Amino acid sequence: MIYVPKQGATTNDQTAVAPADPQTSLSANVSGANGSKVNLNTATKEQLMQVDGIGDKKATKIIEYRQQHGSFKQLSELKDISGIGDKTYQKLSKSLTI
């Protein structure tokens, strides 16, 4: 869990938590038996690869896209990535979230 204080609030150094690094965050939702979805903006390469239809190359392309363009604003941005067309997008969108 990550605590994000309200603007102007002060934190006790013992309870402050550094922002999650999108590359190494373990807080990303991983699709599993409970029906949760993988978060495109926080998932690691390994977590992305757990989604049916995302292999090593697509996971790398998703992370590269995220590094170059910032966080995904909409799931449909996936179609801007080479190799992800309408059919693939429809399949992946069921297992992904922002």
Side-chain angles (χ1 to χ4, degrees):
M1 178 170 32
I2 298 173
Y3 172 74
V4 180
K6 291 183 180 179
Q7 188 173 4
T10 58
T11 61
N12 180 339
D13 288 340
Q14 294 174 346
T15 60
V17 178
D21 180 317
Q23 293 293 312
T24 60
S25 174
L26 296 178
S27 64
N29 293 327
V30 178
S31 184
N34 63 2
S36 63
K37 297 183 176 188
V38 173
N39 187 312
L40 275 177
N41 291 322
T42 59
T44 63
K45 181 177 179 178
E46 291 75 21
Q47 290 167 329
L48 288 168
M49 289 173 54
Q50 290 180 11
V51 174
D52 187 33
I54 298 180
D56 184 64
K57 289 182 182 182
K58 280 189 182 140
T60 298
K61 287 181 180 182
I62 290 170
I63 291 173
E64 287 173 354
Y65 182 90
R66 193 169 64 193
Q67 290 171 341
Q68 293 172 2
H69 299 95
S71 297
F72 285 87
K73 309 286 186 277
Q74 303 176 48
L75 280 178
S76 61
E77 289 179 62
L78 277 173
K79 293 190 270 185
D80 295 338
I81 299 172
S82 175
I84 300 179
D86 289 331
K87 278 188 172 183
T88 304
Y89 170 74
Q90 290 299 322
K91 180 179 180 182
L92 297 178
S93 65
K94 297 173 185 171
S95 301
L96 299 170
T97 190
I98 301 286

